[in-house]
Every structure is written in C-alpha cells, then in structure tokens.
Amino acid sequence: LIIEAAGSRAQLLCLSGANGITSLDPWSGDVNWRTEPLPKRTVASPAYAAGMVFATCGQGGKGDLLIGVDPLQVGDDGVAPIKFQRERTLPYVPCIVGYGDHLYLWNDNGVLMCVDPKTDTTVWQERIGGNFSGSPICVGGKLYCIDEEGKVIVVDASPTFRQYPGGELGDPSHSTPSVANGRLYLRSFHRLTCLAAPGSSAETSR
C-alpha cells in the first residue's frame, strides 16, 4: 500500500507477521518506521483510513487481531506504537477497506461490518452470506466482492447499510475484482468477465 499522510512524502507500506507493518521510502528503500512483530500469520494487505494505518493477522480461517498506528507518530527507536486494537469479528484472508473515516471488514464467513476506528464502534454488522477468499474493492463509494461460488456482492461503503443486486458468474472464484479504464474485471476459475461503467468511454467504445 502507498499512502501520503497529511502531505508528507509518500510511504510504501509492507506487512508480515515477522516484521509487522513496515514503512519504506519508495525511492531509496530506506525504512521510515515499523511496528512490533504480529503474533500470527498475515494474509491481507494493510489499509489506510482516518489518518491511521491498519493491519490484521490470524489463523484457521479467521482474523484474531487488528491493529492501527499513526504513520506520523513514531518513537525515537523507529517503532510506531499501537494506537488501535480490536480482537473480535475480523477477516483473515480478505483485505480491510478504508473509505472516508470508516473501515469495512469483510469477513471470510460472509459477515460484513462498518467500523468507526476513532471510537472502535461497530456502526453496522450484516451477514451477507457466502464464503470469501478474495477481497472487496471500493469503486465510486460501493464495495464489490465475489464469493467462492461466483456470486458478486455490491454494498454501499457508507455508515448506512445498503445492498444492491449483484450477479452470478456461474463459475467459482477466489479472486479480487479489479478496475482499469472504466471497466470492472471479475475473474473466476475458468473465465474473465468485463463490465463497463454506465456512461463511461469504455462503454461507448465497446
């Protein structure tokens, strides 16, 4: 993940259990700061929201720990202290999404949550069903994710829960959607599906 916190130079963030979160200078490779190691395995990428960097670790198909640090508050030893910690209802494989001032936790077992990291408050929690090995992405204020059976789920990235009609790919998927040039790409085990955004140049050029 690359962030530019409060107008500072860009930081390249890497995550592993052994090294925790590490911030690198993307031009020189020098270490800006790090956290202490995390106690369990990391699968997902870090996230950035409300001026904080967040990361999860876990095992056995569920997340066990979510930490948050301020990338601009680092000790003299180069270690960023943990400012936020949560140990309940966390994803393991799917990445956290930071959008606006909220975190969106899309759990492996189909439980989706909106969390206010400033207060550690669960704004809403909904069971949308399915099992997930891919991660959600946020496009135009909406979250898109594919369950393992190939069902596409679309939900508002908002403090108010709203789910939209999705679609069936008709093929299993463990992938994360991707976006480029006005197109949404959805990969399943045997196919690649491309959708053009309504009114985009990608749609008119089909």
Side-chain angles (χ1 to χ4, degrees):
L1 177 67
I2 295 179
I3 66 169
E4 293 185 10
S8 65
R9 285 172 58 87
Q11 301 181 39
L12 173 63
L13 304 178
C14 306
L15 176 63
S16 73
N19 297 312
I21 307 171
T22 303
S23 168
L24 304 174
D25 183 315
W27 292 275
S28 68
D30 293 339
V31 175
N32 298 316
W33 55 265
R34 60 180 176 82
T35 67
E36 297 293 345
L38 293 175
K40 295 184 178 179
R41 295 177 178 176
T42 59
V43 178
S45 299
Y48 183 61
M52 300 266 289
V53 177
F54 298 90
T56 58
C57 66
Q59 63 182 8
K62 67 182 185 69
D64 291 315
L65 177 64
L66 165 63
I67 64 167
V69 299
D70 186 331
L72 300 179
Q73 294 184 11
V74 181
D76 294 336
D77 58 356
V79 176
I82 293 175
K83 301 288 187 179
F84 176 94
Q85 185 166 314
R86 186 181 178 100
E87 299 179 8
R88 60 190 186 279
T89 320
L90 300 172
Y92 175 47
V93 173
C95 295
I96 299 169
V97 172
Y99 184 71
D101 289 332
H102 293 87
L103 296 176
Y104 296 90
L105 311 182
W106 201 303
N107 285 262
D108 307 58
N109 64 356
V111 173
L112 175 58
M113 305 172 65
C114 173
V115 173
D116 183 344
K118 295 179 180 178
T119 61
D120 193 16
T121 301
T122 300
V123 179
W124 51 257
Q125 176 176 325
E126 299 287 341
R127 180 173 290 279
I128 55 177
N131 294 299
F132 295 83
S133 292
S135 296
I137 62 169
C138 185
V139 184
K142 292 181 175 60
L143 301 170
Y144 295 80
C145 200
I146 313 170
D147 74 9
E148 292 182 353
E149 299 302 316
K151 182 178 180 180
V152 182
I153 311 294
V154 185
V155 176
D156 270 344
S158 166
T160 300
F161 177 78
R162 182 180 179 185
Q163 183 172 349
Y164 297 87
E168 301 281 353
L169 298 179
D171 194 35
S173 176
H174 288 179
S175 298
T176 299
S178 62
V179 173
N181 301 319
R183 293 180 172 90
L184 176 67
Y185 294 91
L186 306 166
R187 185 169 69 86
S188 60
F189 282 7
H190 304 97
R191 292 193 292 272
L192 177 66
T193 301
C194 175
L195 303 175
S200 71
S201 58
E203 183 185 50
T204 56
S205 63
R206 286 186 302 179

